[in-house]
Amino acid sequence: MKRAGALLLALLIGSAVLSAETFKGAETFDAVWKIVRDTHFDPAFDVATWDRVGTELRPKAIAATTPGELRGILRDMLGRLGLSHFAVLPATPDRPGEHVNLSAQPGFDVRLMGRQLVVTTVDPDGGAAAAGVHPGWIVQSIGGTPVTTLLAGIADSTPPRIAQIEAWRLTVTSLRGPSDTTADVSFIDGSDATVTKSIERKAERGEPVTVGSLPTMFVRVSSSMASTPGGRKAGVIAFNVWMTAVDRDFQKAMDRFRSTDGIVIDLRGNPGGLAGMIMGLSGHFLAERATLGVMKTREQELRFNANPRLVNAAGERVEPFKGPVAILVDGMTGSASECFAGGMQSLGRARVFGQTTMGQALPALFDRLPNGDVLIHAWADFVTGTGVRIEGRGVIPDEPVDLTRKALLSGRDATLDGALAWIDRVGKEGRNLQ
């Protein structure tokens, strides 16, 4: 059994790199059922109901004839928990002879707006940029499959937060494929004309990092200086996943921005990672060991306290940054990102801008199953230092910013603009926010 921050959405698009064993339906079902029964974090977990679920579904697992059938039964069982961070990561294709390679991507991201999939960001070095795709374009079809068909399984009654996550997952898995292949995508462009682009898929960029049996993650950290409307300077730091490789570049960025008027941390689209990292990263902004949050298991509580960073990358004595800190989030901000944003928000040390986050903030363990798959399962609940539970709720921004196609087409980043304007307001008031 190994402990890790949950990266369910990121892992859904990873290629099948786990070593496979034989197809063992009964043993695998029993292992999943028992692990959940023995490690579920809630003291009020209804074991009698879980017994009945096992009795109902076990015969179906035994009768399953393919790995995909078995995984469908396991998804049914885990789905009845009604919680995030319970999932099975396949070690083999669902059906014999099926090979799925999702290792490369076309270089653009999307969000669901109403029932439309809208391009929100385009990687300047990716295939989409080379093909002339722009933010604000509406995705009409992927590989000849209309988006309406792709999203048909998402009911109109689905809560917007959940619909956003599912639409993103379906879209990304449809867009990805082997490196150096192309994705044929039809869009409605900025002039409302229909255009079709053949977009080259390219391998993931970033520093490869592997945790235990999980697929390789690629860490990307970026930093830049931005000007506020009033002429102040703010450092903007973004990273895509919480892995230890982030710390080095984040610290370098903090040294660069230590004398700025404010710091913006961009966690949009960041699905989480190693939750323990929030203690060290928050220490760049907190001089005391304040409690960001508490992880609660059946028997104990684990407090996530900030570790003040008093030495810079060069080994010189420094103080944590005292100026305003803004955190940018959206509907694809999850797990450790939510723990950090919610914890900093609860302490009053950061102001959160954007859209409500995933609401999937449970820390998880992962275990190898008899058939070679890996089970991710939540081992604790998480509440902020002020007792706010994020699971199922998400982090609610202090300053909500609607994501609109009009703003995207104009090239504006309304969420970042809001954060920079706030840094101006704080500067004019001369507040010390540490």
Side-chain angles (χ1 to χ4, degrees):
M1 179 180 292
K2 296 186 179 181
R3 183 174 298 177
L7 297 165
L8 295 184
L9 294 171
L11 296 174
L12 282 170
I13 61 177
S15 56
V17 297
L18 310 178
S19 60
E21 297 179 16
T22 57
F23 174 48
K24 300 177 180 179
E27 297 95 326
T28 299
F29 180 91
D30 290 345
V32 172
W33 182 86
K34 185 175 185 298
I35 288 169
V36 173
R37 181 197 64 186
D38 294 345
T39 66
H40 197 286
F41 59 85
D42 189 351
F45 179 59
D46 190 341
V47 177
T49 296
W50 193 241
D51 285 342
R52 290 193 292 272
V53 169
T55 300
E56 174 193 345
L57 295 181
R58 190 175 189 273
K60 298 180 181 180
I62 294 172
T65 58
T66 66
E69 268 189 68
L70 174 62
R71 289 166 190 146
I73 294 159
L74 296 176
R75 280 194 298 270
D76 181 4
M77 179 168 68
L78 296 173
R80 299 189 189 193
L81 295 169
L83 295 166
S84 69
H85 296 78
F86 285 90
V88 172
L89 303 180
T92 61
D94 281 349
R95 292 177 291 278
E98 179 184 62
H99 296 283
V100 179
N101 182 343
L102 302 179
S103 60
Q105 43 84 28
F108 70 91
D109 205 358
V110 298
R111 295 292 183 269
L112 188 66
M113 299 184 191
R115 296 294 291 187
Q116 294 180 326
L117 280 174
V118 180
V119 177
T120 51
T121 58
V122 177
D123 180 353
D125 299 317
V133 178
H134 295 282
W137 286 19
I138 300 170
V139 182
Q140 288 289 88
S141 68
I142 301 171
T145 301
V147 164
T148 52
T149 301
L150 189 68
L151 304 184
I154 303 176
D156 291 337
S157 59
T158 304
R161 180 174 50 80
I162 303 301
Q164 179 73 259
I165 296 169
E166 183 62 11
W168 182 89
R169 184 188 68 81
L170 290 167
T171 304
V172 170
T173 52
S174 297
L175 286 169
R176 295 179 72 101
S179 185
D180 298 325
T181 61
T182 57
D184 295 324
V185 186
S186 293
F187 301 90
I188 295 177
D189 68 12
S191 61
D192 290 333
T194 300
V195 296
T196 300
K197 301 287 186 178
S198 186
I199 303 172
E200 181 184 1
R201 297 183 177 104
K202 296 185 178 183
E204 287 271 7
R205 294 183 299 105
E207 180 177 345
V209 176
T210 302
V211 177
S213 305
L214 300 180
T216 299
M217 294 284 134
F218 293 86
V219 175
R220 297 184 294 275
V221 182
S222 65
S223 60
S224 60
M225 190 76 78
S227 296
T228 70
R232 290 177 169 80
K233 296 297 182 182
V236 181
I237 310 172
F239 55 100
N240 65 320
V241 67
W242 290 76
M243 289 288 174
T244 53
V246 168
D247 188 73
R248 177 189 64 247
D249 288 339
F250 195 96
Q251 184 166 7
K252 288 180 180 177
M254 285 303 304
D255 289 342
R256 176 186 171 196
F257 300 142
R258 200 169 296 281
S259 61
T260 60
D261 299 295
I263 300 289
V264 178
I265 303 172
D266 190 347
L267 297 178
R268 291 175 292 183
N270 186 322
L274 303 178
M277 283 188 62
I278 72 173
M279 295 186 285
L281 196 146
S282 63
H284 286 292
F285 311 101
L286 292 163
E288 305 294 335
R289 289 183 53 79
T291 299
L292 294 157
V294 181
M295 300 243 178
K296 298 184 176 183
T297 70
R298 286 185 187 180
E299 292 91 21
Q300 61 183 350
E301 295 185 353
L302 173 64
R303 304 186 78 81
F304 276 41
N305 296 327
N307 293 324
R309 305 291 282 264
L310 304 178
V311 178
N312 67 11
E316 301 164 336
R317 182 80 178 181
V318 296
E319 291 188 2
F321 183 77
K322 296 180 179 180
V325 179
I327 300 175
L328 313 185
V329 299
D330 69 2
M332 293 306 300
T333 301
S335 194
S337 292
E338 294 182 284
C339 295
F340 176 78
M344 292 283 283
Q345 181 188 54
S346 71
L347 293 171
R349 184 61 191 94
R351 193 160 182 82
V352 179
F353 296 77
Q355 300 89 51
T356 300
T357 64
M358 285 187 198
Q360 299 196 0
L362 301 178
L365 300 169
F366 55 91
D367 289 85
R368 177 79 69 172
L369 297 173
N371 71 337
D373 290 354
V374 170
L375 173 68
I376 290 186
H377 57 104
W379 65 277
D381 201 357
F382 179 88
V383 298
T384 68
T386 54
V388 177
R389 186 172 189 252
I390 294 176
E391 177 72 13
R393 170 188 183 269
V395 177
I396 299 172
D398 299 293
E399 296 197 22
V401 181
D402 289 335
L403 189 61
T404 68
R405 185 183 180 221
K406 181 179 179 181
L408 291 168
L409 287 171
S410 71
R412 288 182 52 238
D413 186 338
T415 303
L416 177 58
D417 290 347
L420 294 175
W422 171 71
I423 289 172
D424 257 346
R425 296 198 300 270
V426 173
K428 291 175 182 177
E429 296 167 8
R431 284 187 280 162
N432 183 330
L433 299 182
Q434 192 178 60

